Structure formats: C-alpha cells, structure tokens
Amino acid sequence: AILRNQMKMQSFKRKCGTTIRYSTRGKGPTNVLLLAPGGMESTLDRWGSHPYDPWTSLPEQEFRIIGMDQRNSNEETASPLGTGWESYRDDQLALLDRLGASQCLLVGSCIGPSFAFALMKHSPERFPAAVVLQPIGLARHTAENVGWEGFNSGTRRSFALWSENMIEKGRFDASQMNKLHESMYENDREFVFSISREDMTSMDQPMLVFMGKDRSHPSETSREIARLAPNASLVEQWRDEHYAVETVDQQIINFLRQHAEA
C-alpha cells in the first residue's frame, strides 16, 4: 500500500477557489492521469487498497503518472462545492494545463471512469484512450454473485456517507448536498451518470474495460460500455480467486503503450 506521506503531494488553487492536490511520478514521455476510486472521496492514496495500483506499477521510465485528490475529498482539498460533473472535469483539465499535459491517457476506477468519460466527451483530441476499471453505473439485477431487487443503490449510499461527513463538519448544509446529488446522480442521470448512452456510442477512443461485479459497480454497466463504445474491449475475469495481478499489470501496460503518443 502507498503511504500518503510518501507521495510528495503538491497543491495549487484555481481562480474559482478550488484547491487541487496532486503528485507526479516518472519522467516518461507519455502522460497518464489516474482517476482514483472512492466515490466523492476519490484520492490518490485510495489506489493502495485497490486490486490494481497504477501509481506503483506503471513504469516511470515510460510514463509520467499524474495522480490527484478530487475537490472536497478530504480536509486538504476543502473547496467550494461543485455544481456537477463539469466542476470536477474542469479541475482535472486545470491540473493537466498546469503540468503542460496536452495529451493524456486515462486510468480510472469506480467513480474514475465517469470522470474519464466526461473528459473524453469534452476534449476527445486530448484523451486518446482509457483504462476503465469497475465503473459505477445504474443497472438492474447485475451482480452475478449478489442478488438484490430493483436498481443498485451503492453509489447513492457512498454519496450519503460523504455528504453526512461534510454536513457534520459544517462545510455545507443538507440542501446544498441534495442539490449536488440531484445534479450528478438524479433526473436524467443514469447509465454511468456523467454522460449518456448516446454519448458513448460516438466515443471512438480505445477503451480497456475491467468488469465490476458488485452493487456499486454493476457487471451490466461494464458490459453496456463495451457494447456501446465502438472500440472497447471487455475483461470479465481479473479480480477473481485465480487472477494474477501481474497479468492485469501487463495487460494495462501493453494497452497504454499501444496508445501512447507517437
């Protein structure tokens, strides 16, 4: 596991008042932005407890690995409340602009793919490919190993825990939290929340999708991404009893090499 004090985190403040905390590793010519798991508490160190950890496993002689904490994910990133997926997208773009990363491959897990899809929709020329690990989404009866009735509720539960913490600390009130949840996860927000199915069908960047298998990361969401995106490949077995983490590492490194900037 990676320790936070070993990451050499840096920070800067955007004009809108948002504090961005980030770290980089490696001097390789190809930029890779990591969009971490953890829901609204998506932070770089979350990769340390993930079945695949790109921060420590990607070779630094080939890649410049960029990791970040999303706004309000912890005490260090206390910032104005976002208004929706676009707020987070603009934070991520601001970081890449600061680092001079004109082109960047993406690796995201959990909420990370939804961040990645928003970036790829906004600036397709800037993000030529993405690794998508256990994406969140709204789907019916989709966890083969866990049965439940109706739509999965894992994402809402995760948001609620973060929201309660923000309210307890006096950072925001319940009405502000409800408004943000509505913007990000309700109304016409379904599928992967940040973009629509129609958006996905026109997203021709290559994607390597590692299937989720639980209530927050439904298998059907991963399968649907792979069906809809013109150049997506689906990996179904990767965090099961017999998977080898070295195999996953190599699959991802090979994919990123294949789509690295020439």
Side-chain angles (χ1 to χ4, degrees):
I2 45 179
L3 299 175
R4 197 160 186 78
N5 60 8
Q6 295 174 346
M7 291 183 191
K8 300 178 181 174
M9 299 295 287
Q10 303 177 64
S11 65
F12 72 97
K13 186 167 278 195
R14 293 185 60 205
K15 288 181 181 178
C16 64
T18 301
T19 298
I20 305 289
R21 282 178 61 81
Y22 70 97
S23 187
T24 64
R25 186 178 75 80
K27 303 290 185 185
T30 301
N31 297 303
V32 180
L33 176 64
L34 307 184
L35 297 161
M40 305 303 288
E41 295 175 305
S42 168
T43 56
L44 175 54
D45 59 352
R46 289 283 187 137
W47 287 110
S49 57
H50 191 267
Y52 167 71
D53 178 9
W55 179 256
T56 57
S57 65
L58 290 179
E60 58 182 44
Q61 69 273 20
E62 294 184 56
F63 302 106
R64 178 169 66 154
I65 304 121
I66 304 165
M68 67 183 295
D69 297 349
Q70 303 301 328
R71 68 162 73 190
N72 294 313
S73 58
N74 52 25
E75 289 299 320
E76 294 90 347
T77 55
S79 298
L81 191 63
T83 56
W85 293 102
E86 296 76 15
S87 302
Y88 292 90
R89 179 199 68 198
D90 291 348
D91 289 346
Q92 294 147 11
L93 291 170
L95 171 59
L96 296 180
D97 289 346
R98 183 180 181 87
L99 295 174
S102 58
Q103 268 214 335
C104 196
L105 300 173
L106 300 170
V107 177
S109 179
C110 180
I111 197 172
S114 292
F115 290 142
F117 298 141
L119 289 168
M120 294 161 80
K121 176 184 176 182
H122 181 268
S123 304
E125 72 293 339
R126 193 168 185 177
F127 302 104
V131 176
V132 173
L133 297 126
Q134 52 186 22
I136 61 171
L138 194 65
R140 188 182 290 277
H141 303 294
T142 57
E144 282 80 352
N145 57 342
V146 182
W148 72 87
E149 293 300 318
F151 284 98
N152 60 298
S153 56
T155 303
R156 288 199 181 97
R157 188 166 61 251
S158 170
F159 186 98
L161 292 171
W162 171 77
S163 174
E164 287 165 11
N165 186 37
M166 291 288 104
I167 293 168
E168 282 173 15
K169 290 179 176 176
R171 296 266 300 280
F172 307 108
D173 61 34
S175 66
Q176 290 173 301
M177 290 287 107
N178 290 338
K179 188 173 181 181
L180 180 62
H181 186 275
E182 187 176 306
S183 171
M184 294 181 76
Y185 297 108
E186 296 181 44
N187 298 331
D188 59 344
R189 297 286 185 184
E190 51 166 358
F191 183 39
V192 294
F193 304 115
S194 63
I195 66 166
S196 68
R197 289 178 175 88
E198 185 178 0
D199 293 329
M200 187 66 76
T201 60
S202 60
M203 202 168 279
D204 61 2
Q205 297 100 319
M207 298 181 206
L208 186 59
V209 183
F210 289 81
M211 189 168 77
K213 289 192 176 181
D214 58 47
R215 189 172 295 211
S216 297
H217 318 97
S219 303
E220 178 57 23
T221 295
S222 297
R223 289 197 176 107
E224 195 168 11
I225 292 167
R227 286 197 301 268
L228 292 174
N231 292 306
S233 301
L234 181 65
V235 179
E236 294 194 17
Q237 304 289 323
W238 68 284
R239 55 175 305 177
D240 304 85
E241 284 182 25
H242 306 295
Y243 91 97
V245 70
E246 297 80 10
T247 304
V248 175
D249 285 351
Q250 202 56 54
Q251 275 182 289
I252 290 173
I253 289 168
N254 289 345
F255 177 84
L256 294 175
R257 281 174 180 158
Q258 182 183 353
H259 300 291
E261 191 176 1

